[in-house]
Amino acid sequence: MSSRRDGPLMRNTAQSLHKSRVAIAAAIGVGVLFGCVFAFLFPHGLSLPPRVYTSRLSNSNNAQVGSASCESSERMNMLKSEFVAASGKNAELKKKVRELTEKLRLVEQRKDQAQKQVLVLGKQQKAGPFGTVKASRTNSTIVPDESVNPRLAKILEKVAVQRELIVALANSNVKDMLEVWFTNIKRVGIPNYLVVALDDEIAKFCESKDVPVYKRDPDEGVDSVARTGGNHAVSGLKFRILREFLQLGYSVLLSDVDIVYLQNPFHYLYRDSDVESMTDGHDNNTAYGYNHVFDEPAMGWARYAHTMRIWVYNSGFFCIRPTIPSIELLDRVAGRLSREPNAWDQAVFNEELFYPSHPGYDGLHASRRTMDFYLFMNSKVLFKGVRKDANMRKLKPVIVHVNYHPDKLPRMKAVVEFYVNGKQDALEPFPDGSDW
């Protein structure tokens, strides 16, 4: 009985279980199929841009290989376009970088000067009442740079007084004059002076006489002239050599060796200009300038032309401060002397210092002062005028520069005899000028 009742129930249960399994298998199959379609249409997920999605959807019936090939080609073209555009921008940026680098270099050259001018001039201000306005005559000094010449920097630190010193260049050709030069410096009691030895003989000579000396590092461009050059050739070297002194932040009273020191010159400097120089002039007009009238009769009513004239500064005795215009002056003179071998350094020195700006030429903006020609006396003033005037003979100059006469050493010794030892006729044997 029981076996008949269980038979139909077991068959029904088996059929139900079979149907369920078929349904599950069908569902799994549908899911797998749907997943394959989804994977084909969206291989990178749902984060693609709408353009790609639309393209993929509209071409879903294309073969997978064909679709991938089109996509790769389109992507490649897009990347090429982007690369070309980026390359063009890169070239343009490189050009701009070069232009900006050059502008930056030019700006850096003028940076210090602009900063110093701001410090000197200060903020803008209103002009005062009539007759009360005065412009600044003094440029600010540069920032010292000891890296330029550390060895020289240590020497100057010991020798200079308040960052000022007398400097002379000398080789063995002027040894006798050099001895008169430093002997009188010592006698006056001037502590801040230095000889730049242009050869080994002078270096050893100064050391034996307890004279502060500096021997430069080898430089064939300078040494060849220094060893064998005459007075003018050696004089031209100073514009190159002095640059390092100024870069180190020192004011230099440049001195030729044909000078007799009778007082301390630092007590008589104004220090208000870039260059403070003695003059080759022999009176107020020639030393400080005058209105010279040029007469040209053929011009009739306009026959008289007014000109300004001044006798040149002496490049063998001047004080130069460590300013931008001063260094530019040295660079200009040294540059011209290297390009113009027959040029005279004193002529070039004055041309660069005095010529104004004009078409094709930018003048030097350096301030200058002319020294008192009776205190800083040239030998023309002494031998042609002062020694013949009873009152002027009582004047004691600061220096006497034997620049107008070729017989330098005997005249230097005579100056010492007259002003130091009181020998009143010591200057008499010499003519006003020279015998040749």
Side-chain angles (χ1 to χ4, degrees):
M1 290 286 295
S2 60
S3 58
R4 283 195 296 266
R5 287 195 299 263
D6 292 339
L9 178 62
M10 291 296 292
R11 284 195 300 269
N12 291 337
T13 302
Q15 291 175 355
S16 178
L17 181 60
H18 176 72
K19 291 179 181 179
S20 298
R21 287 176 178 175
V22 171
I24 292 172
I28 292 174
V30 171
V32 170
L33 178 62
F34 182 78
C36 291
V37 173
F38 187 89
F40 174 77
L41 294 177
F42 302 96
H44 300 291
L46 296 175
S47 59
L48 289 176
R51 179 182 61 83
V52 177
Y53 169 75
T54 303
S55 175
R56 292 263 178 90
L57 189 61
S58 62
N59 295 290
S60 60
N61 58 337
N62 293 338
Q64 183 174 359
V65 175
S67 177
S69 175
C70 291
E71 179 189 358
S72 298
S73 177
E74 180 183 357
R75 183 64 176 167
M76 183 65 72
N77 291 334
M78 183 175 66
L79 289 174
K80 286 181 179 179
S81 299
E82 291 177 354
F83 177 77
V84 171
S87 298
K89 290 182 179 179
N90 187 44
E92 185 178 351
L93 286 174
K94 284 183 178 180
K95 181 180 179 181
K96 289 182 178 180
V97 167
R98 288 195 299 269
E99 293 175 350
L100 290 174
T101 301
E102 179 64 17
K103 289 181 180 180
L104 181 61
R105 185 184 67 81
L106 295 174
V107 169
E108 287 294 335
Q109 288 180 348
R110 304 179 184 273
K111 179 180 178 181
D112 288 343
Q113 184 176 5
Q115 290 177 341
K116 304 306 179 297
Q117 288 177 346
V118 170
L119 291 174
V120 173
L121 300 176
K123 63 180 182 180
Q124 288 183 312
Q125 51 187 307
K126 295 180 179 179
F130 178 81
T132 65
V133 176
K134 288 188 177 181
S136 173
R137 294 165 177 77
T138 308
N139 287 309
S140 180
T141 56
I142 64 168
V143 177
D145 182 5
E146 293 188 0
S147 66
V148 170
N149 190 330
R151 184 167 67 90
L152 178 59
K154 291 181 181 179
I155 295 174
L156 297 183
E157 187 176 354
K158 297 177 181 178
V159 173
V161 175
Q162 295 181 347
R163 303 192 74 82
E164 296 177 330
L165 76 160
I166 300 170
V167 175
L169 279 65
N171 62 13
S172 54
N173 293 336
V174 297
K175 182 177 178 180
D176 293 335
M177 284 192 291
L178 177 64
E179 185 168 15
V180 177
W181 180 84
F182 66 65
T183 297
N184 284 277
I185 285 179
K186 289 182 176 182
R187 181 187 53 77
V188 173
I190 303 170
N192 48 331
Y193 70 101
L194 180 70
V195 175
V196 177
L198 299 177
D199 56 40
D200 293 334
E201 182 180 347
I202 287 296
K204 294 176 182 178
F205 176 66
C206 289
E207 290 171 356
S208 69
K209 298 293 183 178
D210 196 26
V211 171
V213 63
Y214 164 63
K215 180 69 166 58
R216 300 178 64 257
D217 293 332
D219 183 342
E220 185 57 32
V222 173
D223 295 343
S224 59
V225 178
R227 287 190 298 267
T228 60
N231 192 42
H232 281 174
V234 171
S235 182
L237 294 177
K238 58 178 171 266
F239 298 99
R240 291 179 60 180
I241 295 174
L242 285 184
R243 195 183 202 279
E244 290 185 341
F245 287 78
L246 268 60
Q247 286 181 277
L248 293 171
Y250 289 86
S251 292
V252 174
L253 184 55
L254 188 282
S255 173
D256 282 351
V257 296
D258 58 344
I259 292 176
V260 177
Y261 285 79
L262 302 171
Q263 299 185 64
N264 190 331
F266 293 106
H267 298 165
Y268 296 88
L269 296 179
Y270 285 80
R271 300 174 177 85
D272 63 347
S273 304
D274 297 308
V275 177
E276 195 168 346
S277 177
M278 75 170 295
T279 175
D280 275 359
H282 58 274
D283 57 24
N284 285 340
N285 284 341
T286 56
Y288 309 136
Y290 65 101
N291 178 20
H292 174 74
V293 180
F294 176 77
D295 184 9
E296 189 177 2
M299 289 297 296
W301 176 82
R303 64 182 292 179
Y304 300 111
H306 290 258
T307 68
M308 298 301 299
R309 298 190 65 180
I310 185 173
W311 286 33
V312 297
Y313 283 177
N314 190 286
S315 62
F317 190 85
F318 61 89
C319 182
I320 185 165
R321 298 175 63 248
T323 65
I324 292 295
S326 295
I327 294 175
E328 183 182 358
L329 171 63
L330 296 180
D331 289 350
R332 284 180 177 226
V333 176
R336 281 191 56 187
L337 291 176
S338 66
R339 298 188 301 270
E340 305 169 21
N342 296 324
W344 181 26
D345 68 284
Q346 180 161 293
V348 175
F349 173 71
N350 279 272
E351 288 169 2
E352 294 298 336
L353 196 53
F354 283 94
Y355 279 176
S357 297
H358 55 263
Y361 177 80
D362 291 329
L364 180 71
H365 293 261
S367 56
R368 54 193 181 270
R369 171 181 284 274
T370 307
M371 293 176 172
D372 187 319
F373 70 93
Y374 281 125
L375 293 178
F376 298 90
M377 190 181 295
N378 62 59
S379 55
K380 180 177 182 177
V381 173
L382 175 61
F383 285 97
K384 192 175 180 181
V386 169
R387 68 170 175 169
K388 301 176 183 179
D389 187 299
N391 291 324
M392 295 301 296
R393 286 169 66 95
K394 299 176 183 178
L395 172 69
K396 185 178 182 179
V398 177
I399 65 156
V400 173
H401 188 180
V402 188
N403 61 313
Y404 268 100
H405 301 88
D407 50 340
K408 296 179 180 298
L409 185 58
R411 288 188 188 246
M412 289 177 71
K413 292 180 178 179
V415 169
V416 174
E417 288 295 320
F418 180 77
Y419 284 108
V420 178
N421 299 328
K423 188 178 179 180
Q424 294 301 304
D425 62 348
L427 302 176
E428 302 307 318
F430 300 93
D432 290 354
S434 60
D435 293 331
W436 53 276

